[in-house]
Amino acid sequence: MAELRGALIGCGFFAVNQMHAWRDIEGAEIVAICDRDPQRLKVVGDQFGVARRYTDAAAMFAAEKLDFVDIATTVGSHRPLVEMAAGNRVPVICQKPFAPTLADAKAMVRACAEAGVPLMVHENFRWQSPIQAVRAVLDSGEIGTPFFGRISFRSGYDVFSGQPYLATGKRFIIEDLGIHILDIARFLLGDVTSLTARTARINPAIAGEDVATMLMDHAGGATSVVDCSYATKLAVEPFPETLIELDGGDGTIRLTQGYKLTVAGKSGTTVSDVSPPLLAWASRPWHNIQESVLAIQKHWVDSLASGKEPATSGADNLKTFALVEAAYAGAASREPVQIDALLK
């Protein structure tokens, strides 16, 4: 397979992980980078040896022959950049949150579909190896059909020091973190029909909500609870682990702190360590997220090579994005929200 020529737009906090991962993946190379901040452009360009650097995305598209573009900017710029990529017939990965609104997200999916170019959302949490291990147990049939799930991310970790903009938005934990946990719920239990939500702001120094609890009905009949908190101070800080409980007709799955996977099912009880590998460029405790970046970007390259739609395509991500919108609407109204109505 010929090596794919890619470009990265956005050289901020998280994009460095994406650049490390691209360097590890055979069959793809980042040949150009773009950022409005010349200093960030210089830091990333020098670190990863990328000579072709742009402060204007339109100029980059005009000058470069690209097989894909990786958009790692903040949410407000996603729609114009995705539509620019579609206009240039360049397949595109877009960072999450996918868009400011569901209407914008639908427009971005439509633009890429009309241009005939693949679109994948960088929804990487489901690609963490512990989450994939849980999915594998489900697929094995060991616990039968799941009827209940709890997907939980509770932490007191200071995420604002590295990403201070997170403290300023009116929307915080559901939009930034909860979207990942909601996507895991969909990945494990299927699409959602209705959602009820409650939120709170515990930290007075931030503008948005830092606690959210969501109750969901899944189309397959299961019920799940998704709970997220950045205001939970524990004896042992679990950041950034997602903890999972699944109950099925024939057994249970528990992914507990320290990446311990306990399965009580048809074959008896097994306990295993599903810790993610520590990549050479990764650092604890971020290594599980960093490993998932490598996994999702490899999936993208494989999808382009095979012509198959990515698992977290733009069209698929609309179903996760709708859960975010439903959560905010439901928290405001304190009423259940029907998901199908949002996707029409």
Side-chain angles (χ1 to χ4, degrees):
M1 183 181 72
E3 190 162 85
L4 299 172
R5 294 169 53 84
L8 176 80
I9 303 177
C11 296
F13 172 79
F14 199 76
V16 172
N17 293 312
Q18 284 153 254
M19 287 297 292
H20 276 296
W22 287 125
R23 194 161 59 179
D24 284 0
I25 294 171
E26 291 185 13
E29 180 187 6
I30 297 299
V31 299
I33 56 175
C34 179
D35 196 290
R36 289 183 299 184
D37 184 335
Q39 181 58 32
R40 293 202 306 193
L41 203 59
K42 173 176 170 46
V43 169
V44 172
D46 289 356
Q47 181 178 355
F48 294 97
V50 182
R52 302 182 71 79
R53 308 170 188 180
Y54 299 85
T55 55
D56 179 75
M60 184 185 74
F61 279 113
E64 300 290 338
K65 181 175 174 54
L66 299 171
D67 297 306
F68 70 91
V69 63
D70 184 356
I71 295 171
T73 57
T74 51
V75 65
S77 61
H78 287 176
R79 180 173 176 179
L81 289 171
V82 167
E83 290 178 342
M84 188 183 298
N88 284 275
R89 300 294 192 273
V90 176
V92 56
I93 308 171
C94 184
Q95 188 55 256
K96 50 60 60 183
F98 187 26
T101 68
L102 190 54
D104 284 316
K106 290 176 180 177
M108 293 153 70
V109 171
R110 187 166 56 248
C112 288
E114 290 173 354
V117 299
L119 167 64
M120 184 179 82
V121 179
H122 202 283
E123 182 47 73
N124 56 297
F125 266 47
R126 68 162 72 181
W127 290 97
Q128 294 174 26
S129 51
I131 310 299
Q132 292 287 321
V134 170
R135 179 73 246 188
V137 174
L138 271 182
D139 290 342
S140 75
E142 183 67 21
I143 70 161
T145 301
F147 61 84
F148 172 80
R150 182 187 179 196
I151 300 90
S152 181
F153 190 109
R154 310 193 73 81
S155 170
Y157 188 85
D158 178 15
V159 293
F160 308 109
S161 58
Q163 297 169 282
Y165 66 87
L166 292 175
T168 63
K170 291 182 179 179
R171 291 182 170 192
F172 170 44
I173 201 167
I174 299 174
E175 182 178 82
D176 183 68
L177 169 73
I179 189 168
H180 290 310
I181 315 306
L182 290 164
D183 186 71
I184 290 171
R186 279 190 60 233
F187 176 56
L188 297 176
L189 295 170
D191 288 334
V192 176
T193 56
S194 69
L195 182 151
T196 303
R198 299 291 184 268
T199 60
R201 179 167 62 90
I202 306 302
N203 182 349
I206 68 172
E209 82 291 349
D210 53 3
V211 174
T213 307
M214 291 150 280
L215 173 68
M216 299 189 295
D217 297 312
H218 293 263
T223 301
S224 71
V225 176
V226 168
D227 57 292
C228 305
S229 170
Y230 270 126
T232 299
K233 304 184 191 317
L234 295 162
V236 179
E237 174 56 60
F239 180 88
E241 294 183 49
T242 301
L243 309 183
I244 296 173
E245 302 175 13
L246 293 172
D247 295 358
D250 295 310
T252 59
I253 301 170
R254 296 293 186 267
L255 177 62
T256 52
Q257 193 168 345
Y259 304 109
K260 178 182 175 184
L261 182 66
T262 303
V263 180
K266 298 174 183 176
S267 307
T269 300
T270 61
V271 181
S272 55
D273 181 353
V274 291
S275 297
L278 180 64
L279 301 174
W281 48 269
S283 58
R284 300 180 190 275
W286 294 91
H287 63 298
N288 70 331
I289 295 173
Q290 291 167 315
E291 177 241 359
S292 73
V293 171
L294 177 63
I296 193 173
Q297 291 176 192
K298 186 176 186 305
H299 174 67
W300 169 251
V301 171
D302 293 342
S303 297
L304 288 183
S306 66
K308 294 181 180 178
E309 184 173 288
T312 56
S313 66
D316 178 83
N317 194 257
L318 290 179
K319 298 175 184 179
T320 296
F321 196 100
L323 301 183
V324 173
E325 292 298 296
Y328 283 113
S333 70
R334 302 185 74 80
E335 297 289 338
V337 176
Q338 301 306 306
I339 305 304
D340 282 351
L342 295 175
L343 290 170
K344 290 179 179 175

